[in-house]
Amino acid sequence: MSTPSYERGKSIDNSQYAHVSMPISDNIVALKDAVFSHPAVGILKKFEENLKSRLLTREEIRVLLASEGMFVLEVPPGIVALASRMTDEWFKKEPFAATGRASRILFAAVDEYGLNDMEHGLLPSHHQLYVDMAAHWNITAKDLLDDRNIVPTAKEFAGTIGDYYRKRPIVEALGFHVANEATAPLDFGVFLATFREYREQYGLKAQNDPHLNFLLVHDDVEVSHREMGVEAVQLYTNGDPKLVSQARRGVFAYMECYGRFFAQLNDRIFGQQDTHARARA
């Protein structure tokens, strides 16, 4: 077998290193079903109905973005922390396999940190894109961090994200991560569809207005992040029912926070209106 030469920045044969998906155990595939069938998704759908029922005021947009921003902030460093923990654990057993396995989690951070087009240099991080989106409505980074604009469950959710990615057993954290990546296209998709539907009223010039880049990029990449997360569960558990059950606990921990968050956000923005509607009925 010949020794491949190496040119800086290029592989002699990219097909050797292209990502190849692996067979996934049925009980691990079922983790995605547990996300999509969870009652929290129904709570999000109710919030979507309300979002599309009328335009939000600038104050309501501020609450929406500041509250959502709490866990937008926590996720990228959490992903890096989990990938590092996985690398350290596997390094003790299979040192040359450790980074390749943990890369399935770190893969998501490539987009989060703006590293997905290095041929042309750094892109804005997702945090930068989020601040740019808020600035369209004259909402500042300071506004996004102001407790008055943040529903309490948003901070609880952010704390739980930090805890799972950094401290909880890795297998539970992997399930938590799968739920995180599986739900991102759902809620960010709701915001994207709403702002597109009322783009003129919200001061947006096109369906893919650059101010929506944070939402657009998640619409593009999150499914691949989810599938890589599922593969990480497969690699970590090899389908062992006891371990997969632990991963499932992580899925439900995420979804329970997710449901509480959107229920409270819905109540904060639309609760009074809904109360008046019920009274008129």
Side-chain angles (χ1 to χ4, degrees):
M1 181 176 179
S2 62
T3 303
S5 61
Y6 178 77
E7 181 181 348
R8 186 177 182 188
K10 296 180 180 178
S11 163
I12 188 172
D13 181 3
N14 284 330
S15 66
Q16 293 183 68
Y17 307 105
H19 170 67
V20 179
S21 60
M22 64 186 71
I24 306 296
S25 304
D26 289 345
N27 57 352
I28 295 174
V29 172
L31 296 178
K32 293 185 287 186
D33 297 331
V35 171
F36 299 131
S37 63
H38 195 278
V41 175
I43 294 171
L44 175 66
K45 289 185 181 300
K46 176 60 179 174
F47 184 61
E48 178 181 16
E49 291 172 10
N50 284 333
L51 272 182
K52 291 183 175 178
S53 69
R54 64 170 174 83
L55 295 180
L56 298 182
T57 65
R58 179 173 171 273
E59 179 184 349
E60 289 168 341
I61 295 173
R62 191 166 57 221
V63 169
L64 172 67
L65 296 184
S67 297
E68 185 89 5
M70 284 296 94
F71 51 96
V72 166
L73 277 174
E74 284 288 344
V75 168
I79 289 170
V80 173
L82 178 57
S84 179
R85 288 207 291 147
M86 292 170 66
T87 302
D88 287 345
E89 181 174 299
W90 267 320
F91 193 79
K92 297 170 185 175
K93 305 171 186 176
E94 300 178 70
F96 286 106
T99 54
R101 291 181 176 180
S103 67
R104 284 170 169 78
I105 298 301
L106 194 59
F107 176 78
V110 169
D111 289 308
E112 299 282 359
Y113 281 75
L115 303 174
N116 54 332
D117 190 18
M118 288 305 293
E119 183 176 349
H120 299 99
L122 291 170
L123 294 172
S125 72
H126 285 190
H127 287 166
Q128 290 171 297
L129 292 177
Y130 199 81
V131 169
D132 290 347
M133 177 173 65
H136 174 65
W137 287 281
N138 296 315
I139 297 166
T140 67
K142 185 177 180 181
D143 293 328
L144 294 174
L145 296 170
D146 190 327
D147 285 347
R148 293 172 295 181
N149 303 324
I150 300 167
V151 297
T153 49
K155 289 207 165 186
E156 294 171 17
F157 201 175
T160 302
I161 291 169
D163 182 50
Y164 266 82
Y165 275 105
R166 290 174 173 83
K167 298 177 182 177
R168 292 296 183 102
I170 288 175
V171 68
E172 291 184 22
L174 289 173
F176 192 90
H177 176 70
V178 168
N180 175 30
E181 298 295 356
T183 54
L186 303 183
D187 50 270
F188 292 144
V190 164
F191 303 157
L192 179 60
T194 302
F195 290 140
R196 278 174 162 175
E197 185 171 342
Y198 298 107
R199 64 182 184 277
E200 291 184 8
Q201 296 93 323
Y202 282 124
L204 301 165
K205 296 181 179 178
Q207 285 284 90
N208 294 334
D209 190 294
H211 291 107
L212 300 178
N213 276 347
F214 174 85
L215 301 175
L216 290 166
V217 71
H218 283 84
D219 195 46
D220 288 339
V221 303
E222 291 303 309
V223 171
S224 63
H225 294 180
R226 180 195 73 201
E227 292 305 307
M228 288 281 195
V230 168
E231 290 180 11
V233 177
Q234 179 69 44
L235 284 167
Y236 196 89
T237 67
N238 199 30
D240 181 284
K242 289 183 179 179
L243 290 175
V244 176
S245 178
Q246 286 182 264
R248 192 176 179 87
R249 286 204 294 269
V251 168
F252 282 111
Y254 186 92
M255 295 309 296
E256 286 162 12
C257 287
Y258 190 81
R260 289 198 304 273
F261 168 73
F262 278 105
Q264 191 170 83
L265 188 60
N266 190 54
D267 189 59
R268 169 78 177 264
I269 296 176
F270 299 107
Q272 187 175 3
Q273 175 179 286
D274 289 349
T275 300
H276 288 166
R278 286 194 297 269
R280 287 196 300 272

